[in-house]
Amino acid sequence: MSFFSRFKALDAYPKTLDDFRVRTFSGAIVSVVSTVFILWLFFSEVALYMSTEVQPELFVDTTRGERLRINVDIIFHKLPCAFLSLDAMDISGEHQLDVSHNIMKKRLSPEGVPLITAPPIKDDVNKKKLASATAGAENGAAYCGSCYGAEGHPGHCCNTCEEVRDAYLKKGWGLNLEGIEQCAREGFTEALMEQKGEGCEVYGFLLVNKVAGNFHFAPGKSFQQHSMHVHDLQPFKDIGDFNMSHSVVRLSFGNEFPGIINPLDGVAKIEKDESGMFQYFIKVVPTIYESIAGELISTNQFSVTEHYRALPKSDHGGGQGHGPHSHGLPGLFFMYDLSPIMVKFTEKQRSLAHFLTGVCAIVGGVFTVAGIIDSFIYHSMRSIKKKIELGKAS
């Protein structure tokens, strides 16, 4: 026997003559169905190969010395912009009172429609200088308004109502607006009453230390008194209770990345006939997202639990305000803490070898199963046909 004859004996796919092949209608149906199924699975495999998969990893967060960016966009349905202040503090002792840098306020009508006549409010140094210069022009260049006992140094002038309020807050005092000439001249109380019933959208971002802390929205300007955070509610003594109904349009920590879910986005809370504290306890998880192009996005995810505490009807005229550690301060409080575990998401594309393996498995598997089904149908029909023929012969 020659070498080629011996080598042909290794053929695992022996062929039969065409004369001995039987083509059936059932076999044609099985072939068409299996071909369609193979094509569907093949294109699914191609789509999967063209897409990217994201692989998560967990490890200890060793970064330090970074700042945490908090993005906010919150609508207060029943609290005017003139009432609101934003404060941030952390366990390192840093306090940011009445944050205005990078924070904008948009006045809303009682129906929630932006007031076109009122552009977004951004309290900054230039605004205060302009108000002071206007007061000086109205009262003469040598005008020096009284600070009503809150002077920080000899010759300290308070030419505007805002400067008087700031001087009192630095002293840790509450301010009764009655008898304050600057506030009466500027119509401060009338301006507050004019905005009563309006809403406010607060949006922007703030930068805090990457340690546990909190930030909150509450009525009145804040100050420290005997190591306690206090809000001055004296200017609002005729307003009544504060309605803290709100909708969170957006709240995130850091930059966005594909697939991120911020659990508070779209959350709405409504108060009816009471005033209270909305508290959100947030666990921030540091996150790194690496795209398939190698671009790194350093950001954060978070989980949240919430608690609502109803406050008793209060009389704002009886004191300097309420601290969160006393009877309670109506407001929106976000207490956050950072997880020591960092998550890394990495985009990866499937290898060509993996794709070819999947295609071969699809074609071979479907072809084999289809052959078994076709053989079962063919032999079953032959068996039934023989029994019918034997019945006729008998």
Side-chain angles (χ1 to χ4, degrees):
M1 183 181 291
S2 66
F3 171 77
F4 291 104
S5 298
R6 293 177 180 177
F7 188 76
K8 284 193 293 185
L10 301 177
D11 186 3
Y13 307 99
K15 286 77 179 176
T16 58
L17 297 175
D18 292 339
D19 295 338
F20 296 98
R21 293 181 180 177
V22 178
R23 301 185 185 276
T24 62
F25 183 77
S26 61
I29 294 176
V30 171
S31 298
V32 171
V33 172
S34 60
T35 301
V36 172
F37 193 54
I38 287 174
L39 289 174
W40 176 64
L41 291 178
F42 172 75
F43 286 114
S44 298
E45 190 72 12
V46 170
L48 188 61
Y49 171 69
M50 298 300 292
S51 63
T52 58
E53 58 179 344
V54 179
Q55 295 182 351
E57 300 176 68
L58 297 178
F59 51 89
V60 176
D61 183 12
T62 57
T63 60
R64 57 186 185 273
E66 297 181 354
R67 300 281 282 178
L68 182 65
R69 173 173 171 146
I70 305 175
N71 306 298
V72 298
D73 188 351
I74 301 176
I75 295 175
F76 294 89
H77 301 285
K78 302 294 182 182
L79 201 64
C81 293
F83 294 16
L84 271 173
S85 68
L86 168 61
D87 303 325
M89 55 199 71
D90 57 51
I91 59 174
S92 69
E94 179 176 311
H95 291 70
Q96 300 182 44
L97 304 182
D98 196 18
V99 180
S100 58
H101 189 61
N102 297 319
I103 294 294
M104 304 290 286
K105 297 177 181 178
K106 183 190 297 181
R107 291 174 58 185
L108 304 176
S109 70
E111 294 76 27
V113 179
L115 297 175
I116 301 177
T117 57
I121 303 169
K122 184 176 182 180
D123 297 323
D124 53 22
V125 176
N126 293 331
K127 180 180 174 183
K128 294 180 180 180
K129 287 182 178 179
L130 179 62
S132 181
T134 303
E138 292 177 352
N139 298 275
Y143 174 72
C144 180
S146 172
C147 294
Y148 300 91
E151 290 82 359
H153 53 82
H156 184 194
C157 300
C158 296
N159 294 339
T160 66
C161 182
E162 188 71 18
E163 291 177 354
V164 176
R165 295 180 69 196
D166 289 342
Y168 265 67
L169 293 179
K170 289 179 180 178
K171 291 286 187 179
W173 301 344
L175 176 63
N176 188 341
L177 297 180
E178 295 179 1
I180 305 299
E181 181 265 336
Q182 293 91 327
C183 296
R185 182 183 68 243
E186 297 174 9
F188 182 81
T189 303
E190 291 77 5
L192 291 180
M193 296 303 296
E194 180 184 345
Q195 292 190 30
K196 185 178 180 181
E198 291 183 2
C200 184
E201 180 177 4
V202 184
Y203 58 95
F205 69 91
L206 59 155
L207 296 173
V208 298
N209 294 322
K210 198 174 179 180
V211 295
N214 79 83
F215 63 96
H216 59 267
F217 301 86
K221 285 199 172 235
S222 58
F223 57 94
Q224 295 296 118
Q225 185 181 62
H226 306 300
S227 300
M228 187 171 68
H229 186 75
V230 179
H231 279 247
D232 180 17
L233 302 183
Q234 283 281 355
F236 315 113
K237 61 181 180 180
D238 298 325
I239 300 298
D241 289 314
F242 300 101
N243 188 315
M244 298 304 301
S245 299
H246 63 276
S247 297
V248 180
V249 179
R250 179 194 180 205
L251 179 69
S252 62
F253 293 79
N255 301 316
E256 302 286 335
F257 67 87
I260 189 172
I261 297 176
N262 298 315
L264 283 178
D265 288 3
V267 170
K269 300 294 181 181
I270 304 298
E271 283 185 326
K272 294 184 178 179
D273 299 323
E274 58 184 0
S275 182
M277 301 171 62
F278 289 94
Q279 297 174 308
Y280 295 97
F281 299 91
I282 295 172
K283 177 66 74 172
V284 180
V285 181
T287 303
I288 294 177
Y289 190 92
E290 183 178 357
S291 68
I292 198 168
E295 179 185 358
L296 292 177
I297 301 176
S298 181
T299 182
N300 302 275
Q301 302 178 92
F302 69 94
S303 62
V304 62
T305 56
E306 59 185 73
H307 175 71
Y308 176 74
R309 175 185 170 192
L311 300 177
K313 297 290 183 179
S314 58
D315 177 13
H316 304 311
Q320 295 180 348
H322 301 278
H325 304 293
S326 57
H327 299 294
L329 172 71
L332 184 58
F333 295 81
F334 297 90
M335 277 70 72
Y336 59 88
D337 194 6
L338 284 97
S339 169
I341 301 299
M342 175 176 281
V343 180
K344 182 179 181 180
F345 294 106
T346 306
E347 287 185 351
K348 291 187 177 180
Q349 191 169 21
R350 299 175 66 193
S351 66
L352 180 60
H354 194 284
F355 168 70
L356 294 177
T357 302
V359 171
C360 293
I362 290 171
V363 175
V366 174
F367 182 79
T368 301
V369 172
I372 294 173
I373 295 174
D374 178 58
S375 178
F376 173 77
I377 295 174
Y378 174 71
H379 290 292
S380 297
M381 291 181 66
R382 284 191 62 186
S383 176
I384 294 172
K385 188 175 181 180
K386 284 183 179 181
K387 290 181 179 180
I388 293 174
E389 291 177 351
L390 289 174
K392 287 182 179 180
S394 62

